[in-house]
Structure formats: structure tokens, C-alpha cells
Amino acid sequence: MRERENLKAARNKEAGHMDRDERAMQDALNREVREKQERLERERQQREREEEEREQRRREVEREREEKEREQRRLEKERERIRQMERERERARQAVERATREARERAAAEARARAERAAVEKAATEARERAERAAVQRAQAEARERAAAEARERAERAAAEARERTAATKAEAEARLRAERAAAERAAAEARERAAASARASQQKNDDDLESFFMGSRASSAPRPRANSSDPLFDGQNKGGPEVSSSMRKASSAANIVDDLSSIFGAAASSSGVFQEVDGETEERRRARLERHQRTQERAAKALAEKNHRDLQVQREQAERHRIAETLDVEIKRWAAGKEGNLRALLSTLQYVLWPECGWQPVSLTDLITAAAVKKVYRKATLCIHPDKVQQKGANLQQKYVAEKVFDLLKSAIKEWHMMLALASKACE
């Protein structure tokens, strides 16, 4: 029994040792597995970091490549713009050469056409003569003579009638051309006289306005009359507004275009525009004269284009001014309603009609009690919205129109205010 128990205890002990060995082996295997997993995880993280670094380097390389491509595109656009400018200059030069070549070709073609017409007429004449000779040979002598005589008479009558009609048509055309030239000269002279009268009237008006502005502090019994108030042209200009001035400018532009070109380019503007060949002229002198002729023609064309552009710009401004007037007149009338002649009310509400960028600071009625304060604020307002000042500040057409209308209303109000001051001073005396 003791041996069996000892044997059993030995077996149990061996089994415990075996379990401990197995557990130790399992722990070792688990540690190896964990270490292997940790190593794999570290390798994976290392690979990921390397991948991220490679991706970042790749992005940087792509960014640099994109920047280089943008720079290349910009340089390419710049080169393309330069090439475009060169092509335009080349096209302009080719156009000048083509125009010169076409003029020469037209002259040569006209000469050839005249020569061909002369040759055709000569051949037709010879053919008619041969036909007539054949008819004369076939027909009897008497009939041949009568037919020839009748044909000659009819031809002479037709030629005489054609010469008479040509002479009458030419005389009528010359008379009509002389009449048109005389009418154009008369219209130009009248337009110049009207423009000079308008300029004198405007100068007198500006002088009177400035004098009334700077002498406004002196009280007078009655407003100063204008020296040229009875001028019908000045009255028509003040009443008609832009329409009269626009029509005057158009008439002056249409009548003076030949005079302007003649005054700028001398006799070149009145020439026919075709280069005249001179017999016995050297090639160098001819080339120099041709270049001078081309330069003169180019300057004349450029001046005419600029003049047309200016006239078109003026017409567009007048049309835009009319369009603006249709919308702004209502607002200005609404602002000035009930305040006509009331200088204090107009000055205290200027901020409601002026644009924000004009620089006007609002003034209340409490700041316009004394006459000195009213004069001071009026002077500030006129300096702020004077048409010349607004023009210098680069205002648009709408702002200039508002400034002109408000300036006129303030001028009328300051005149009535001076009259009231004069009446009050007389009453006090």
C-alpha cells in the first residue's frame, strides 16, 4: 500500500512537473507570438511612415512640377501675346502694302481696260467697215449711197444729242457741286459764328456767376441784370440744354471736317488720295515721295477716325444724359419740392440727393441760423458740387448731372436769399 501510494505520489509529482513544463512552454510560445506580432506591428508602422514620406515627397514633386508648368504656361502666354502683337504689326504693315499694291493694280487694270476698250472699239469699227464694204459691193450703188448717207446722218444726230446731253449733265453737276460747296461754307461760317457767340455767352454767364458768388455778402436793393440776357442764342441754349449744344456740335463737326484736315495736313487732305507718278523721276525720289504720301494718308485717316470717335462719344454721352435725366429729374424734383428758394432747407437736406462719395457732411437747421453760417455752408456746398470740381474728381455722368441740377437750384436760392436780405435791411432802415 505504501509503495502504491509512493508510486501514485511520484506519478502525481511527475504530472505536476509536466504541467508546469507545458505551461512554461505555452508561456514561451505566447511570448514569442506576442514579440513577433509586436515586431510585425512595428514593421507595419515603419512601412506606413515610409509610405507617408514617399507620398509627401511625391506630392512635393507634383507641386513643384505644377508650379513649373504654371510658370511655363505663363511664359508661353507672354510669348503668345508678344507673337500676337508682332502678328498684328505684321498684319498692319501687310495691310498698308496690300492697299498700296491694290492701288497700283487698280491703276494698271484701269489702263489695261482702257487699252482693251480702245482695241475692241477699233476691232468693232473695222468689222463694221468690212461689213459695210461687203454690203456696198452686194447692193446697188444708189441704194448703198442712200443708206450710207442716212446712217451717217443718224449717227451725227445721235452723237450731237449725246454731246448735248453730256454737256448739260456736266454743267448741271458742276452747278450743283458749286451750290453744295457754297451751302457747306455758309453752314460752316454760321456754325462758327454760333459757336463763338455761345462761347462768349457762356464766358459772360460764368463771369456773372462768379461775381455774384464772391460779391454775395454785400446787400443790394435788386439783383444785378445780366448784360447778355436778351441774347436769343444764349436763351435758347439755357432752355434747350443738351439738344441745342449737340446740334451745334454736329453742324460744326460736319462743316469743319475738311477745314480741320486741311489745317492739320495741308494740301494732302484735299488731294484725291491716289499717288501720282511723275515722268523722269528717280527711284529714290519716287520712293521717298511715296512714303511721304503714305504717311500723310495714314495721318489723315487717323485724324478722321479720332474725330469720328470723339463725335460718337459725344453722341453717346448726350444719349446717356437724356436717359439719366428721365430718372433723376423725378428724384431731384421730389427733393426740391416745397423748398424752392429756401436756401436753409436745401442746404440742410443735401445729403438726401448727393452721392456718398462726394464728401459732403450733413448740416442741421440749427447750424444755419445766422447769415454768416448760411454763407459759409453755401460756399462749402458750391465748392463740393461745382461742375468743374466734380469733373476734376472723375465723377460719372449721373453724378455730374445731379451736381449741375443741385448747383442751379442753390444758385437760384442764394439769389432769392440775397433779395430777402436786401429787403430786410431796407425795412430796418
Side-chain angles (χ1 to χ4, degrees), residues 189-206:
E190 292 175 0
R192 292 194 191 96
E193 292 176 359
R194 287 197 297 271
S198 176
R200 287 194 298 272
S202 300
Q203 184 66 28
Q204 184 65 30
K205 178 177 178 295
N206 293 332

Side-chain angles (χ1 to χ4, degrees), residues 325-376:
E326 293 177 357
T327 57
L328 292 181
D329 283 344
V330 178
E331 298 180 2
I332 295 174
K333 288 179 181 178
R334 187 186 302 116
W335 165 72
K339 297 190 284 291
E340 294 83 354
N342 190 348
L343 184 60
R344 288 187 173 89
L346 291 174
L347 292 175
S348 62
T349 57
L350 274 179
Q351 65 272 13
Y352 299 123
V353 70
L354 297 180
W355 59 99
E357 295 82 7
C358 68
W360 171 253
Q361 299 295 331
V363 179
S364 62
L365 281 173
T366 56
D367 297 331
L368 299 171
I369 297 175
T370 63
V374 172
K375 291 179 182 179
K376 183 178 179 181

Side-chain angles (χ1 to χ4, degrees), residues 72-91:
Q72 289 178 357
R73 285 196 297 271
R74 188 183 66 79
L75 293 175
E76 186 65 26
K77 288 180 180 179
E78 187 68 21
R79 287 194 293 271
E80 182 64 25
R81 187 177 65 82
I82 294 172
R83 287 196 296 270
Q84 183 68 21
M85 292 173 63
E86 292 177 354
R87 284 196 295 271
E88 290 177 357
R89 285 197 294 270
E90 184 65 22
R91 281 198 295 271

Side-chain angles (χ1 to χ4, degrees), residues 171-284:
E172 183 181 355
E174 290 178 355
R176 186 166 56 252
L177 182 59
R178 285 195 296 272
E180 290 177 356
R181 287 178 180 174
E185 291 175 358
R186 286 196 300 272
E190 292 175 0
R192 292 194 191 96
E193 292 176 359
R194 287 197 297 271
S198 176
R200 287 194 298 272
S202 300
Q203 184 66 28
Q204 184 65 30
K205 178 177 178 295
N206 293 332
D207 293 341
D208 293 342
D209 292 339
L210 291 175
E211 187 176 358
S212 63
F213 172 72
F214 290 106
M215 299 298 291
S217 59
R218 297 180 182 179
S220 59
S221 59
R224 179 180 299 176
R226 287 182 179 170
N228 56 355
S229 60
S230 62
D231 191 354
L233 179 61
F234 183 67
D235 294 338
Q237 184 178 359
N238 288 336
K239 292 179 182 179
E243 292 81 358
V244 178
S245 61
S246 176
S247 62
M248 289 173 61
R249 281 195 296 270
K250 290 178 181 177
S252 177
S253 174
N256 296 336
I257 182 169
V258 177
D259 297 337
D260 293 339
L261 291 177
S262 298
S263 62
I264 295 173
F265 303 107
S270 61
S271 64
S272 61
V274 179
F275 182 71
Q276 301 292 334
E277 299 289 345
V278 177
D279 296 335
E281 187 180 21
T282 61
E283 182 64 23
E284 184 178 358

